[in-house]
Every structure is written in C-alpha cells, then in structure tokens.
C-alpha cells in the first residue's frame, strides 16, 4: 500500500476524472434500466455533486437530496393550483427562487445548498411541466429518483474506489498554519524582519484560516474520518482563532515599549528570547509550559495609581505572553492526541471557550436581498418573453436564468461569472451538436457510446479536479450531459435542439443583463461594507453590559478579515492599515475583556468605564474613515486614571490591560498616557 500512495497522490486528478466518469455511466445505465423519463439528469447530477474529497462529495450529496425533495414538493404545490393563471405561477416561482437564494446567501455553509436547490429545482421541474400539469406529480417523483440515483452513484464510487478523506487535507493545512504561526511568533518576539514582512505573514494566516474553516465543514460527513480527529480539529480551530490576534497584540505592545525601554529590562529581553525558542522547538526539546508561565509570573508587577505607562504596557505584554504560551501548549497537545487517535476530551487544556464558540459567519442581508431580487426579476423577464412570444421551447430560458443567478450570487461580480458560464454553455451546445448529429446516430451499442463519451467527460473531470478550473469543468459537464439528453432510443431533431439551445442561451444572457443592473457594484463596494460592518460590531460589543465569548467574536471578525484580505486592493489606505494589523479585531477582544473585568470593579470605576464605552460605541457607529475623535482619547485616559486606583487588584489589572489594548488600537500614534495629567483634566 505504501508503494501505491505516491502514484495515487501524483495522479489524483486523473483518478478523480476516471471515478467520476465511471459513476456517471453507472447512473446513466441504471436510469435507462429503470426506464426513467430523463436518465441524463442522473448523469449530470454525478458531475454536479462530485468533489475530489469524499467528505465534500457526501456533504454536497446529502444537502442536494434535501433541497431536491423540498423543491419537488413545492412544485407539486404550486403548478396544479396556479396552472390556470400563468402570470401568478411565474410570479410564485420567481419569488420562491428569490426567497431560497436569500436564505442560501445568509447561511454561507455547505447547508446553504439545501436552500439553493430548493429554489431552482422548482424552476427546473415547474417550467417544462407547464404543458402537462396533470403529470406534475409523476414528473416530480421522477426528478427526485434521477437526482437521488446520481447522488448515490457519486457517493458510492467516491467512498469505495480510492477514497480521499477530508481529514488529512485539513490536518495538513492545520499543521502548515501552526508552523507559520510559530514562525511569525518567533519573528515578533525577537523583533526580526520588517513591518512589511510581518504584514505579509499576518495576511496569509488570516486567509488560510478561512480556507481551513471552509474545508473543515465537510468533516462531519466524511465516514473515513475518526470522530476523535474531528473533535480535535474543532478544538484546534478555537485556538487558531485566538492565536492570530494575540500575536498581533504582542507586536503592538513591543512597538509601544520600543528598544530603549526593553534595554532597561534585560530580564524581559531574556524572557522574550527564551519564549521564542520554546515556541519553535520540538516537543521533546521543549521546557514544560509551567516553567515558562512561572518566568512570566516573576516579571508581573502590581499596578496601582503610581504605575507608569511603561509599566502598564509591560504588564499588558506579559499577559498576552501568557495567553500565547497557553494557546501554543494546547495546540501541541491536541496535535499529538489527533496523531495518536486519542480522545481529546481527556486532555488537560488551558484555554476554554465560554459558550462553545459556535462557528459564526458574516452575513450581509442587504447584499443577499439585492441578489435575490435580481434573480426573481431575471426569471420574470424570461417568463414575459416566453409567454409573450408563444415560444414552444421557451421554458428553458427562465429555467436557466434561475440556475445561473443562483450559482453565482455569492460572487463579488456575479454578472462576470454568469457571462463566463454562458460562453462555456455555447461550447457545450457545439459539443453536443457534434455528438447528436454526427457521432451518436452511427452508434448502436452502449459500449461504443461509453467509449465515444469518455474523452470529453474525462477532460471535464480533470477540469473539475483543479480548483482554478472547477467551475468551468462543472458547467461543461452538467450542460453537456443535460443537452445531450441520452434516452433509450435516438430521437434527436435539429430544429427542436436548436430551439432549446437558443432558449437555454437566452436565459443565461437575460440573467447576466439583469444581474449587471441589480448587482452593479463590485469588490470595492463589498470591501467597504465589510469595514463598516466591523465598526458596527465593535459598537455592539461596546454597548453590551453582559459577558461575551471572545472566541465567538474572534471567529466573526476573522471571517470578515479573510473576506477583506481577498479585496484588500480596493480598501482606502487607513482601512488597509487597520486590516493589516487586525486593529478592529484586537479592539473588540479588549472591549470584551474590559466588559468581563468590570464585574469586579468599584461602582465609580464602572461608571467611568461605561461612559468611555458609550463614547466608543457612538464613535464606531458614526465612523467615516477619518479617525477617531480626540474626545474619545480623553475618555480612555480618564478610565485608565480611575482604573489604576481601583481597590480590587485582579479586576484592576484585567481592566487596565483591556483599556491599554483599546487605547493602542484606536490611537497608536498618541503620546504616552500620563496619569497625573489625566487626573487634572478630569478635575
């Protein structure tokens, strides 16, 4: 088996293409044997569902079945009841597709496929069935059977024939991410490299964590993955969410101290060097984490009203160093447990999430609504054209408009992707015409047909296997299989085929034109909305009087950060700087820490802090890209001046660390805090 592994890895794309073609032929043969009305739907479904990783295929298959069932049920409800009012039927289908697309865009996980399928399945079944409404139930049942047959064949072949598990792919990406994070930690602790180098490393880590998160969503559907590994990877993900802002905070605190202050604290410099070595060393050569924690504790000093700004910054730095040690230790322990297939629940972990830190994603309701409205409008325009012209084969136009708008609504510029889809559809139309009217008429045996189809569909499979061409391959394969419309008997007619092909293409063109109007905004507009969403989230965090889970907040902000990194070229200079240094994320985490600390503070201290947070919330809600008001800095310094005098030592230190983080995040270039000046200003 070991000798075969390099071959399987080296030729993974070809193996996937062969597996997918075999599954599609299996689905087609069974559908023909069952005498299903549209056996080619089973073949097309295999290519729509199949993914190189078995878990991704299984998750997509499950959600596709659920969506198809919901869509078929809705078709049976709508078509018979509204067949005598075609205008109302078209409106109902358009609104249903729009609603489902809206829910799909808000979900943003593999589960969103349920909503998307539930929407455009009604268009796929309902519009062609208008001419035979009495058979709608049988048509819907056949459609479900064909889809389920394709899904079963795709899943069976994917999990039985040379299966590729999701877990190793996720595990390798996590190991690589942790290695990069350890290296970045070392660079930051030793103050090596340039700010531009560290910026590039941060952005890469932020992008990678979103990609890992997306890939991890398929783990629950991968039967090849051990449950302990799934649980362990989930626990590591929580710590990854916290590692990146902690490292960014360390870089900020070290910059605030400066080399001159560090030279006055040789013990602190030795601690940083020891920690940098500890972070990157192998497990066998590492000192126990408890010893590193003890070294950090030795440097901690009690903060009081005589504390200087340097001492406060140093205390904040030590606190973040302790968090780095705890998170690094947990990640190492979890990695070992996963490698040994041990139950991670038995591990003694240091970091614990307060509320489970469920996966939180950014949801843009406004953008989802615009996309849904555009899809509904495109369908209605196609219906008006179809009904108004009395075009016999015009049902393909609204059907394809629904599919095209649904597939690409999540993109920044969906019209551009719909146009590409339309161009590749033209290629499919030409390829199918060659098959139907030049090759297939001369074929009388199934074996010969399979041999004739193999080169084309194997090429499509190779395209799907590669991320850069996956969309092109899927469009070619699905459209070719659908337009080829293989049946038990050959009955192709050029005039009928041309009519269907033209209607097919008209639907895509109308979808592009309407989408270009309804979603005329691009990546710059989306990027600015993401930045504003971050500031509003900070305002909500500042306004809350209760506790909030830091990992959950970090998950939301890092998800947005990953989306922003993809569009960073479209941001203004100030917003780009904030994104690079994770400023908004760090401010939010410090707000949450401050909220947690306020429960142990004196009433007067709480009052001053709450006034500052109210001022901060107002500034975030009214943020216009020109920096924060100077009045907010005065409120932060007043809160610092009051917090250093609070009698509760533990809560006082936590509050000061949170306030330092907020001050450094909002006003990195402000003069150093001076307690006496702040008190005189307050007086």
């Amino acid at each position: 088996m070991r000798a075969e592994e390099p071959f399987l890895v080296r030729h993974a794309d070809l193996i996937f293409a062969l597996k997918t073609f075999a599954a599609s032929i299996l689905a087609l043969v069974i559908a023909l044997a069952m005498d299903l009305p549209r056996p080619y739907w089973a073949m097309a479904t295999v290519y729509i569902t199949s993914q190189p990783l078995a878990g991704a295929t299984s998750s997509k298959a499950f959600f596709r079945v659920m969506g198809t069932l919901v869509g078929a049920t809705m078709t049976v409800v709508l078509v018979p009841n509204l067949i005598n009012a075609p205008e109302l039927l078209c409106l109902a289908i358009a609104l249903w597709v729009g609603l489902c697309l809206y829910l799909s865009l808000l979900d943003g996980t593999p589960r969103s496929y349920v909503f998307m399928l539930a929407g455009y399945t009604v268009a796929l079944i309902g519009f062609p069935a208008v001419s035979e409404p009495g058979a709608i139930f049988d048509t819907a049942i056949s459609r479900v059977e064909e889809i389920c047959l394709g899904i079963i064949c795709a899943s069976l072949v994917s999990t039985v024939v040379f299966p590729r598990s999701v877990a190793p792919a996720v595990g390798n990406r996590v190991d690589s991410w942790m290695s990069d994070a350890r290296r970045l930690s070392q660079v930051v602790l030793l103050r090596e490299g340039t700010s531009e180098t560290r910026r590039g490393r941060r952005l890469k880590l932020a992008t990678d964590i979103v990609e890992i998160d997306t890939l991890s969503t398929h783990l629950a559907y991968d039967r090849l993955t051990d449950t302990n590994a799934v649980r362990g990877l989930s626990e590591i993900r929580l710590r990854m969410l916290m590692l990146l802002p902690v490292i960014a905070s360390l870089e900020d605190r070290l910059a605030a101290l400066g080399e001159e202050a560090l030279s006055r604290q040789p013990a602190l410099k030795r601690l940083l060097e020891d920690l940098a070595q500890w972070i990157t060393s192998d497990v066998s050569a590492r000192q126990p984490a408890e010893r590193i924690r003890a070294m950090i504790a030795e440097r901690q000093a009690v903060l009081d009203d005589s504390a200087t700004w340097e001492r406060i910054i140093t205390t904040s730095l030590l606190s973040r160093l302790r968090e780095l040690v705890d998170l690094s230790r947990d990640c190492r322990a979890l990695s070992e447990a996963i490698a040994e297939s041990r139950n991670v629940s038995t591990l003694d972990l240091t970091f614990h999430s307060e509320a489970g830190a469920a996966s939180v994603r950014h949801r843009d309701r406004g953008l989802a609504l615009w996309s849904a409205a555009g899809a509904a409008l495109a369908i209605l325009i196609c219906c008006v054209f179809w009904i108004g012209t009395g075009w016999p084969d015009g049902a393909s136009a609204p059907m394809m408009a629904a599919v095209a708008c649904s597939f690409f609504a999540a993109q920044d510029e969906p019209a551009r992707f719909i146009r590409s889809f339309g161009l590749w559809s033209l290629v499919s139309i030409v390829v199918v015409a060659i098959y139907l009217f030049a090759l297939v008429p001369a074929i009388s045996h199934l074996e010969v047909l399979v041999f004739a189809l193999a080169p084309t569909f194997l090429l499509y499979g190779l395209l799907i296997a590669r991320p850069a061409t996956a969309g092109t391959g899927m469009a070619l394969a699905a459209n070719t299989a659908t337009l080829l419309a293989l049946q038990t008997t050959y009955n192709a007619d050029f005039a009928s085929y041309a009519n269907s092909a033209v209607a097919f293409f008209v639907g895509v063109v109308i979808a592009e034109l309407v989408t270009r109007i309804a979603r005329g905004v691009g990546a710059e507009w989306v990027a600015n909305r993401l930045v504003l969403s971050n500031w509003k989230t900070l305002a909500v965090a500042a306004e809350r009087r209760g506790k909030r889970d830091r990992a959950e907040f970090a998950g939301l902000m890092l998800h947005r950060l990953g989306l922003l990194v993809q569009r960073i070229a479209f941001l203004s200079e100030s917003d780009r700087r904030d994104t690079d240094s994770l400023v908004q994320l760090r401010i939010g985490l410090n707000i949450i820490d401050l909220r947690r600390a306020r429960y142990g503070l004196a009433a007067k201290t709480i009052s001053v802090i709450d006034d500052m947070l109210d001022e901060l919330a107002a500034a975030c809600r009214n943020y216009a890209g020109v920096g924060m008001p100077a009045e907010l800095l005065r409120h932060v310094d007043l809160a610092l001046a009051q917090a250093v005098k609070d009698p509760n030592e533990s809560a006082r230190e936590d509050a000061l660390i949170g306030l330092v983080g907020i001050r450094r995040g909002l006003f990195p270039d402000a003069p150093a805090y001076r307690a006496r000046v702040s008190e005189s200003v307050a007086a």
Side-chain angles (χ1 to χ4, degrees), residues 250-319:
L250 287 173
E251 183 175 358
D252 175 77
R253 301 302 181 273
L254 289 170
L257 278 177
E259 289 298 326
E260 184 179 345
L262 285 172
S263 64
R264 292 195 295 268
Q265 303 184 59
L268 178 59
K269 290 187 69 173
R270 285 195 301 273
L271 172 62
L272 294 173
E273 292 167 359
D274 291 344
L275 182 53
Q277 183 180 4
W278 181 83
I279 285 286
T280 55
S281 60
D282 294 333
V283 176
S284 58
R286 287 182 111 189
Q287 302 180 50
E290 290 71 18
R291 183 173 178 182
I292 298 294
R293 288 200 200 96
M295 293 169 61
I296 295 173
E298 289 176 5
R299 298 294 308 154
Q300 290 281 12
V302 177
L303 297 177
D304 51 31
D305 57 353
S306 64
T308 62
W309 180 237
E310 180 179 320
R311 191 162 136 203
I312 295 173
I313 288 287
T314 301
T315 302
S316 177
L317 171 66
L318 293 169
S319 176

Side-chain angles (χ1 to χ4, degrees), residues 90-157:
C90 293
L91 179 62
I93 293 178
L95 292 176
W96 172 256
V97 173
L99 173 63
C100 291
L101 180 57
Y102 175 77
L103 296 174
S104 173
L105 292 172
L106 288 186
D107 187 276
T109 67
R111 186 177 57 238
S112 65
Y113 211 59
V114 173
F115 302 111
M116 187 169 67
L117 259 293
Y120 73 69
T121 294
V122 175
L124 291 176
I125 302 175
F127 287 127
V130 168
S131 58
E132 296 181 82
I136 187 62
F137 183 78
D138 294 335
T139 303
I141 291 295
S142 299
R143 168 73 173 162
V144 172
E145 290 175 341
E146 291 150 5
I147 293 295
C148 290
L149 176 60
I151 288 170
I152 291 170
C153 291
S155 301
L156 184 65
V157 173

Side-chain angles (χ1 to χ4, degrees), residues 158-234:
S158 177
T159 54
V160 173
V161 182
F162 299 120
R164 290 181 63 194
S165 174
V166 175
V170 176
N172 291 336
R173 294 295 300 274
V174 169
D175 289 343
S176 176
W177 193 95
M178 294 303 303
S179 177
D180 290 343
R182 286 192 289 269
R183 178 55 186 156
L184 176 59
S185 301
Q186 183 184 52
V187 168
V188 168
L189 292 172
L190 298 179
R191 286 90 62 207
E192 295 177 344
T194 63
S195 59
E196 193 65 24
T197 302
R198 294 191 292 270
R199 168 186 176 274
R201 291 176 181 269
R202 278 197 306 269
L203 293 183
K204 182 179 183 299
L205 288 171
T207 304
D208 289 348
I209 198 172
V210 175
E211 294 176 358
I212 292 170
D213 193 30
T214 301
L215 192 60
S216 299
T217 56
H218 302 293
L219 281 172
Y221 305 92
D222 192 344
R223 297 179 182 177
L224 306 172
T225 304
D226 180 55
T227 54
N228 287 327
V230 175
R231 193 178 300 114
L233 289 170
S234 176

Side-chain angles (χ1 to χ4, degrees), residues 460-502:
Y460 294 164
L462 287 172
L463 292 174
I464 295 173
R466 296 166 183 170
T469 57
T472 299
M474 194 272 289
L476 287 168
N479 290 334
T480 301
T482 303
L483 291 169
L484 198 55
L486 294 172
Q487 303 275 8
T488 53
T489 58
Y490 176 80
N491 57 359
D493 174 71
F494 184 79
S496 177
Y497 173 75
N499 257 305
S500 296
V502 170

Side-chain angles (χ1 to χ4, degrees), residues 98 101 368-378 514 518:
L101 180 57
L369 186 60
W370 276 111
S371 300
L377 182 60
V514 173

